[in-house]
Amino acid sequence: MGRLLGHVSTENLKTAFLGRIEERSTFCTDGAPQYVNFAISGKLDLLQFQQKEGRIGLYNIQHINSYHRVLKNFMRKFKGVSTKYLPNYLVWNNFENYANETFVEKHRILLEFIVTTNKKIQEVRQRQKDFGPRTKDLE
């Protein structure tokens, strides 16, 4: 995070993340004191790992580090993504790397999603031709 934000300060954290993390989310960090004020201002549940701590309850810093590494590797092939679509990339990453289904089952799920989505798009386009655009269709 230091490379992304420069020196990690409460103000830098607010600039980068405030309003982007849902209130009452668990915010896992190292023991740096800057995170305390940020967590308070963002109404986050702060969980700080001290240097020698690897696990606090169900939270394990190695799981967090592993997820981050896998996500970075997944995102690298896209050469950057729009934050507008970031949730879609996170779902795709989780589906590809963490879903329990076999490759064949994942393939079937994706094909079903594509066919269903295409059918919905065609229905909306037909409705727009017949009746004109509606606000709900344009969202």
Side-chain angles (χ1 to χ4, degrees):
M1 189 180 321
R3 271 191 338 193
L4 176 67
L5 298 174
H7 175 69
V8 178
S9 68
T10 302
E11 287 308 311
N12 286 345
L13 290 165
K14 286 179 181 179
T15 300
F17 298 114
L18 203 58
R20 293 186 172 107
I21 302 174
E22 190 173 325
E23 289 183 7
R24 309 306 315 158
S25 293
T26 301
F27 188 53
C28 299
T29 71
D30 60 27
Q34 300 89 317
Y35 297 117
V36 175
N37 289 332
F38 172 71
I40 291 168
S41 63
K43 298 179 182 157
L44 305 173
D45 296 330
L46 179 63
L47 185 63
Q48 288 191 295
F49 290 91
Q50 302 308 317
Q51 257 185 342
K52 301 281 182 184
E53 264 178 330
R55 176 185 292 258
I56 300 175
L58 64 95
Y59 298 96
N60 184 326
I61 195 69
Q62 293 309 318
H63 290 160
I64 296 165
N65 289 339
S66 174
Y67 182 84
H68 184 240
R69 180 182 46 77
V70 170
L71 179 60
K72 273 177 62 174
N73 287 337
F74 175 80
M75 299 297 277
R76 191 169 280 128
K77 61 186 160 198
F78 300 108
K79 311 272 192 275
V81 299
S82 167
T83 53
K84 177 180 177 181
Y85 299 110
L86 186 58
N88 298 336
Y89 285 95
L90 293 174
V91 169
W92 184 1
N93 171 67
N94 292 346
F95 182 74
E96 185 174 300
N97 293 304
Y98 297 101
N100 293 326
E101 291 82 8
T102 65
F103 177 80
V104 172
E105 290 169 327
K106 287 180 184 180
H107 190 260
R108 182 193 54 76
I109 291 168
L110 286 174
L111 283 176
E112 185 177 313
F113 176 76
I114 291 167
V115 168
T116 303
T117 302
N118 190 40
K119 184 178 178 185
K120 287 179 184 175
I121 290 170
Q122 289 173 354
E123 288 172 359
V124 167
R125 286 183 178 154
Q126 186 59 49
R127 242 190 344 256
Q128 287 175 342
K129 282 182 187 175
D130 295 343
F131 304 106
R134 294 185 322 181
T135 305
K136 184 178 177 187
D137 292 337
L138 299 176
E139 294 176 353

